[in-house]
Amino acid sequence: MPFSTRASLLAALLIAAPAWAQNPWGEVEAPSAGEAEAIGGYAAGCVGGAAALPLSGEGFQVMRASRNRYYGHPELVGFVERLAERAARQGLGRVLVGDLSQPRGGPAAYGHASHQSGLDVDIWFRLLPKDGAPLSREQTEKMAMPSVIRVADGVLDGQRWDRRYGDLLRLAASAPEVDRIFVNPVIKQALCRGGSRGDWLGKLRPWWGHDQHFHVRLACPADSPGCEPQKPIPAGDGCDEDLDGWVREIRLAAKRPKPAPPDRSATRLPLACDAVLAGAPASAEPRTIVGAGSAKAEKRRLAGTGTDRSADRN
């Protein structure tokens, strides 16, 4: 992928401020009625009949619960619970869970372009003692989420990286329901150079950011015919020259001013999402609402099934 293309994609993904003054999806406090269903694309969709992940459970705790983004398709909630249980059994520690989706998915006013269809979850690069006391609500809101890389140098931060994070990534990527996991290219390069091998490594997709957490994306569930899958990931483990190019560009980008956040106000959702937002059961329709979006907005909407340049959109 040419540097100019990656740089423009970085500009489209660095979202530092609210995209809309009023966002009805962010104002909804509870899931819609009806059977669970992931609808549309990961970056232009919604989730009907979502389940709530408990704020704490065996081996995990939800962070930043005040954002009200701990909902997802039941497949996602089950995945998080199983991952935490496996991590605990292997002695890795207690998993800290970041954002899933809003109660009915849909676009978020800040922080994410994806996480819309109830199939995405962020997992922190931080593990707490398995038998330690649970974090207080204040701690879950204020605890820092530091980077585990030295971006200007293009290497892992030896003071913050823990080998257990690599083990946790392997556990997550080995789950058959996982389609891909977004990680910073520096992290994947370090795992490749450290001798990690196996089909699971191919699921780790290099992408901007993702140096404080990793982003797990599930494949479309069987009960969701209106879910739009992404293009399959390339064969192989991805430990190649293109990965080295990613790291060089990450280092260069660290030296330049961050671009302004994009305007996402024209995001187009499937018509079935109207019913989800209204709270009624939704029958997934493949059609989309035609808005006043630009060509760039359309490209973002199609990120889940588009070209190689957009296939790994976060």
Side-chain angles (χ1 to χ4, degrees), residues 91-159:
L92 300 183
R94 192 159 76 253
V95 174
L96 299 183
V97 182
D99 286 354
L100 283 74
S101 293
Q102 298 173 137
R104 299 177 196 178
Y110 62 92
H112 299 290
S114 60
H115 288 252
Q116 294 195 29
S117 59
L119 298 173
D120 296 287
V121 59
D122 291 338
I123 305 293
W124 285 31
F125 282 123
R126 187 163 185 170
L127 290 161
L128 298 183
K130 174 185 174 183
D131 299 322
L135 298 174
S136 68
R137 181 62 179 267
E138 182 178 12
Q139 286 175 313
T140 65
E141 295 294 336
K142 295 183 177 180
M143 180 178 283
M145 183 172 59
S147 172
V148 296
I149 70 171
R150 299 205 314 266
V151 63
D153 300 321
V155 297
L156 294 178
D157 186 332
Q159 299 299 313

Side-chain angles (χ1 to χ4, degrees), residues 1-2 5-6 9 180 182 205-207 230-235 242 246 299 302-314:
M1 185 187 300
T5 301
R6 289 180 179 164
L9 283 171
R180 65 197 69 202
F182 300 100
R205 312 306 302 158
W207 202 240
Q230 286 194 263
K231 185 176 180 178
I233 59 176
D242 187 57
W246 265 108
K299 186 178 292 185
L302 295 173
T305 55
T307 65
D308 288 341
R309 289 194 296 271
S310 62
D312 280 343
R313 174 179 172 79
N314 178 12

Side-chain angles (χ1 to χ4, degrees), residues 93-260:
R94 192 159 76 253
V95 174
L96 299 183
V97 182
D99 286 354
L100 283 74
S101 293
Q102 298 173 137
R104 299 177 196 178
Y110 62 92
H112 299 290
S114 60
H115 288 252
Q116 294 195 29
S117 59
L119 298 173
D120 296 287
V121 59
D122 291 338
I123 305 293
W124 285 31
F125 282 123
R126 187 163 185 170
L127 290 161
L128 298 183
K130 174 185 174 183
D131 299 322
L135 298 174
S136 68
R137 181 62 179 267
E138 182 178 12
Q139 286 175 313
T140 65
E141 295 294 336
K142 295 183 177 180
M143 180 178 283
M145 183 172 59
S147 172
V148 296
I149 70 171
R150 299 205 314 266
V151 63
D153 300 321
V155 297
L156 294 178
D157 186 332
Q159 299 299 313
R160 292 176 174 168
W161 177 260
D162 189 310
R163 64 160 186 81
R164 295 177 300 162
Y165 303 158
D167 294 337
L168 186 61
L169 279 166
R170 177 182 51 78
L171 272 183
S174 298
E177 65 268 32
V178 170
D179 184 62
R180 65 197 69 202
I181 298 176
F182 300 100
V183 297
N184 190 278
V186 172
I187 295 172
K188 175 153 185 173
Q189 184 186 67
L191 291 172
C192 291
R193 290 181 174 178
S196 294
R197 289 294 180 269
D199 292 342
W200 69 272
L201 197 61
K203 289 187 181 181
L204 302 189
R205 312 306 302 158
W207 202 240
W208 305 98
H210 299 88
D211 55 325
Q212 303 167 315
H213 68 271
F214 60 93
H215 173 168
V216 180
R217 174 165 292 169
L218 301 193
C220 287
D223 63 5
S224 300
C227 177
E228 297 177 10
Q230 286 194 263
K231 185 176 180 178
I233 59 176
D237 59 16
C239 298
D240 51 27
E241 293 180 359
D242 187 57
L243 180 59
D244 296 335
W246 265 108
V247 173
R248 286 193 296 271
E249 291 167 19
I250 290 290
R251 295 179 65 187
L252 288 172
K255 301 176 182 179
R256 293 190 297 268
K258 290 184 178 181

